[in-house]
Amino acid sequence: MDPLPFLIVIASGIAVMCISVMLDNLWAQVLPLRFLYLIVRAPGVIVHECCHVIGCILTGAKITKVVLLSREGGSVTYTRPKIPVLGDVIISSAPLFGIPLVLSGITMLFSGYLACVFPPFPSAIDSAGTLHALAVSVISIFDTNLVSAFHPWFLLYLYLTTSLVLSMAPSSQDLKNAAFGIALVAALGIVIILSGIPWAVDILWKVTSIAGMGFTLGLAFGLIALVLSLPLFLWYAYISRPLAR
């Protein structure tokens, strides 16, 4: 197995998390009132915590407390999962895979019933060409739904997409909980690639392909939120500039 696809999937996952964290920090800094930030974040926080709940159910962890939304965000408290090591990885990274699936469903809804138009996204990022195609698709979404023709429901779509992208990345506590498991999974993947064992490589390839599709969707929606947030970047740069004396 060529190690490049495995490394690209890892890089895609890191890119999705970086975009999510960067945009979350930007919106928190730029919005003048805390309740406005909470309004922007609300749908994403609720879906984020629901993904953790599903992760707990899948791994056999007992849920002791769920806070879907509060002034501090949300949280899910649970006991140790029945699946050792990998269980923590599944629970902690659940929003990273679950939120793109929810956004895919939202995209289908807005496309099928609310007249918005969306071009197909590449199924995986495996070259500079597919990354360029993804960027072109994202730009065309804005042109098709705001410039060439105005679809009012597209504004709601942008709100939901941005909110969910801001909550896509695992929290710092999630990463702490799953740090050992993530490192172990990555190391195991490299060992399998180096070993060349056919059946193990085949399993790794299938897992990598599934993860790659999830991260590609996450990256696509992250780019949509990034384009929408460009005015905020400019405004933040303006208010952060040093005053002339």
Side-chain angles (χ1 to χ4, degrees):
M1 175 181 175
D2 183 359
L4 184 59
F6 182 73
L7 296 176
I8 289 177
V9 167
I10 293 177
S12 299
I14 293 173
V16 170
M17 290 190 290
C18 288
I19 290 175
S20 176
V21 172
M22 177 182 65
L23 292 181
D24 185 28
N25 290 333
L26 174 68
W27 283 80
Q29 291 291 329
V30 171
L31 291 180
L33 299 174
R34 177 68 178 176
F35 85 90
L36 291 177
Y37 173 68
L38 293 177
I39 290 174
V40 172
R41 284 290 311 277
V45 171
I46 293 172
V47 174
H48 180 106
E49 302 308 331
C50 287
C51 289
H52 284 317
V53 169
I54 293 173
C56 290
I57 295 172
L58 292 176
T59 59
K62 183 179 179 180
I63 301 170
T64 58
K65 183 179 180 182
V66 177
V67 178
L68 291 180
L69 188 64
S70 69
R71 291 185 61 85
E72 289 72 36
S75 64
V76 175
T77 306
Y78 54 92
T79 61
R80 300 294 303 177
K82 293 182 179 179
I83 301 176
V85 183
L86 188 59
D88 287 325
V89 176
I90 293 173
I91 295 172
S92 298
S93 63
L96 197 58
F97 294 94
I99 287 180
L101 291 178
V102 172
L103 283 168
S104 296
I106 291 174
T107 301
M108 293 175 62
L109 173 65
F110 276 74
S111 174
Y113 298 97
L114 299 176
C116 295
V117 180
F118 303 96
F121 296 136
S123 60
I125 301 297
D126 53 14
S127 67
T130 53
L131 183 59
H132 177 263
L134 177 60
V136 170
S137 296
V138 168
I139 296 300
S140 69
I141 287 175
F142 287 88
D143 177 67
T144 304
N145 294 283
L146 292 179
V147 181
S148 300
F150 178 67
H151 300 286
W153 285 109
F154 184 65
L155 299 179
L156 176 60
Y157 175 82
L158 290 178
Y159 163 66
L160 293 174
T161 298
T162 300
S163 179
L164 268 68
V165 166
L166 297 187
S167 297
M168 196 181 300
S171 67
S172 56
Q173 185 59 51
D174 292 335
L175 292 176
K176 289 179 182 178
N177 292 341
F180 175 73
I182 292 173
L184 183 62
V185 169
L188 181 61
I190 294 173
V191 170
I192 290 175
I193 292 172
L194 295 177
S195 71
I197 301 173
W199 64 268
V201 170
D202 184 56
I203 293 175
L204 178 63
W205 173 248
K206 292 178 180 177
V207 172
T208 300
S209 298
I210 294 172
M213 287 188 287
F215 290 150
T216 299
L217 287 173
L219 189 58
F221 295 118
L223 290 176
I224 293 173
L226 186 61
V227 172
L228 180 66
S229 302
L230 287 178
L232 294 185
F233 277 108
L234 297 176
W235 175 246
Y236 183 72
Y238 173 76
I239 63 177
S240 302
R241 77 190 194 288
L243 296 175
R245 295 182 179 275

